[in-house]
Amino acid sequence: MPAPAHHRRTNQNHATMNIGIIGAGHIGSALAVRLTSLGHSVYIANSRGPETLKDVAQKTGATPVTAEEAARHGSDIIVVTIPLKNIPDLPKDLFASVPAEVPVIDTSNYYPHLRDGKIAELETGSLTESEWVQQHLGRPVVKVFNNIYADHLQNKGQAAGTPGRISLPVAGDDAAAKQKVMALVDELGFDAVDDGTLHQSWRQQPGTPSYGADLPADKLREHFESLGTERTEAQHAEYLANHAKTEQAMEAQGIKLK
């Protein structure tokens, strides 16, 4: 009798994983579609409860669960992909029973004008967006999937070695967790580029030249080298201004962020 589809190994180079996704928006749904198609078991949660996720389950092949169940069942990798302003509302003990070696991915972006309101530490630049998330979760995170459009994440992955393959920056402080996440990025069809520590992840935030740019790996590495590792006040001001212009343009087009 054949194994159920979500347990069948479809790629001989990669073992089947249990992956929890907290957040069923554009990025969460795109990841669920791709990861189930690669043979992984995906458990997806939103803030309103599993009974509201029937359509998402049908579209993605993921199993609808509560946030607590997503954290529990995601025994290989957990992805947190909810609006930045909602991060403090997650249950305080959400990751209490999750083993330390399970990477927690943060896909957050700060949209102060359209959605999140102003957050002092992000305005002054004392923390990067993912450092702020890490502080609230009380758990080390790896930042990735924040600077690519959901549609591109779902549809533009290519085999390793394909000319012009899109690269995705990966930042974090735990080398083992970062390696595991970089392997997942490669399996999804993208080149993983090390963006250093979480404190250096400002280089992939909104307003920077790599945000939404779909750069190949050599260009992305070159770009990071040109920026340096310590963000200057001038860089911070420039990227905040760039992002504010983008938000204004989005608002003018009637784009609303949940």
Side-chain angles (χ1 to χ4, degrees):
M1 186 177 161
H6 63 288
H7 286 303
R8 200 176 298 139
R9 186 179 298 192
T10 52
N11 183 335
Q12 291 308 310
N13 300 324
H14 299 278
T16 300
M17 291 193 285
N18 293 308
I19 299 173
I21 300 179
I22 297 167
H26 298 307
I27 292 286
S29 296
L31 281 170
V33 167
R34 290 290 293 117
L35 291 166
T36 54
S37 75
L38 289 165
H40 299 300
S41 297
V42 178
Y43 302 88
I44 195 163
N46 65 5
S47 58
R48 291 172 299 135
E51 64 284 353
T52 65
L53 284 170
K54 290 193 179 94
D55 289 351
V56 171
Q58 206 168 2
K59 188 180 100 179
T60 65
T63 305
V65 292
T66 64
E68 288 83 355
E69 287 167 335
R72 194 166 68 245
H73 291 310
S75 55
D76 292 292
I77 289 176
I78 297 166
V79 183
V80 177
T81 179
I82 64 175
L84 192 82
K85 69 181 172 73
N86 297 346
I87 291 281
D89 301 334
L90 287 171
K92 295 288 168 252
D93 57 351
L94 188 57
F95 300 106
S97 59
V98 176
E101 66 274 9
V102 177
V104 175
I105 289 173
D106 168 43
T107 77
S108 301
N109 289 310
Y110 175 47
Y111 276 81
H113 181 65
L114 285 178
R115 184 190 62 202
D116 299 317
K118 292 203 166 173
I119 295 170
E121 302 97 319
L122 304 183
E123 291 294 321
T124 62
S126 61
L127 293 176
T128 61
E129 292 165 20
S130 284
E131 284 180 311
W132 185 87
V133 169
Q134 180 170 270
Q135 209 172 69
H136 280 279
L137 296 184
R139 169 87 187 200
V141 301
V142 179
K143 187 179 190 75
V144 68
F145 307 129
N146 76 295
N147 78 321
I148 183 169
Y149 293 106
D151 175 60
H152 295 191
L153 181 59
Q154 188 171 325
N155 299 308
K156 293 203 170 183
Q158 294 175 295
T162 305
R165 191 188 200 209
I166 294 169
S167 67
L168 298 181
V170 183
D173 300 331
D174 180 320
K178 209 193 304 194
Q179 280 308 118
K180 196 168 179 184
V181 171
M182 288 174 92
L184 182 71
V185 169
D186 177 60
E187 191 186 346
L188 286 164
F190 304 93
D191 284 340
V193 169
D194 193 332
D195 187 22
T197 65
L198 213 58
H199 194 59
Q200 290 161 3
S201 66
W202 58 271
R203 301 185 295 189
Q204 68 194 75
Q205 289 182 175
T208 61
S210 67
Y211 188 72
D214 288 351
L215 298 172
D218 55 343
K219 291 274 183 287
L220 187 58
R221 284 193 191 97
E222 236 169 70
H223 169 59
F224 286 160
E225 275 170 37
S226 76
L227 292 182
T229 54
E230 280 300 321
R231 177 171 53 183
T232 65
E233 279 184 32
Q235 283 171 320
H236 182 54
E238 180 190 342
Y239 301 142
L240 275 182
N242 288 350
H243 189 37
K245 276 185 205 144
T246 302
E247 285 199 280
Q248 282 154 11
M250 289 167 75
E251 188 175 43
Q253 290 164 33
I255 295 170
K256 290 184 167 58
L257 294 181
K258 289 179 186 168

